[in-house]
Amino acid sequence: MAEAPIVNQPENRIQVSNTKKPLFFYVNLAKRFLQQHDEVELSALGLAIATVVTVAEILKNNGLVVEKSIRTCTVDMRDELKDRAIQKAKMEILLGKSERFDELNAIGIEEEEAKLADENARTA
């Protein structure tokens, strides 16, 4: 099945897949995007919508972001295997940095570094 072409994709948009990357890849990628931008847009098609909602909820529950908007629609696509037009659900979630993003993100980075140092000490 061919994907719709990406036209004028904003530099702060993350296209989420439910098969290509693990869940926390997208969580960490969104944090990196938010270090450079005030907002990040998570976008998903079809079965990946559950993944995009989970990523947004993890970020919100950790106090890193505030939800700005949620958009849903259907997009026309071409199923090349069956040579027919199909419609897929699409969801876009726009998240903004919380007031405490920088503080909470710095704490998270320090905790990850401490965890890595502890793991390295055990294996050495």
Side-chain angles (χ1 to χ4, degrees):
M1 180 176 349
E3 300 225 358
I6 298 171
V7 180
N8 297 330
Q9 179 171 331
E11 61 184 34
N12 66 332
R13 176 182 291 163
I14 299 172
Q15 297 284 134
V16 176
S17 165
N18 65 334
T19 57
K20 293 182 182 173
K21 303 283 183 190
L23 179 70
F24 276 90
F25 169 84
Y26 294 110
V27 172
N28 291 326
L29 184 60
K31 288 180 190 179
R32 283 198 303 260
F33 273 43
L34 287 165
Q35 289 171 344
Q36 299 170 9
H37 307 282
D38 290 332
E39 300 176 334
V40 64
E41 182 179 284
L42 304 175
S43 178
L45 291 174
L47 298 174
I49 289 174
T51 303
V52 87
V53 170
T54 302
V55 169
E57 287 300 310
I58 289 169
L59 293 165
K60 282 181 7 185
N61 291 338
N62 286 317
L64 296 167
V65 299
V66 292
E67 184 179 293
K68 291 196 158 190
S69 70
I70 297 175
R71 292 184 301 270
T72 61
C73 65
T74 55
V75 292
D76 294 323
M77 302 183 81
R78 188 106 197 128
D79 183 339
E80 291 182 1
L81 295 175
K82 297 180 181 176
D83 194 35
R84 64 183 175 124
I86 59 170
Q87 285 193 325
K88 278 204 167 194
K90 180 177 183 178
M91 177 178 275
E92 297 174 336
I93 303 175
L94 183 64
L95 303 171
K97 278 185 189 181
S98 72
E99 290 180 6
R100 296 186 61 209
F101 174 82
D102 293 323
E103 173 191 348
L104 294 171
N105 195 45
I107 291 168
I109 291 169
E110 288 173 9
E111 288 174 356
E112 285 298 315
E113 288 174 350
K115 195 183 302 181
L116 276 172
D118 186 44
E119 289 173 8
N120 289 339
R122 282 190 228 157
T123 59

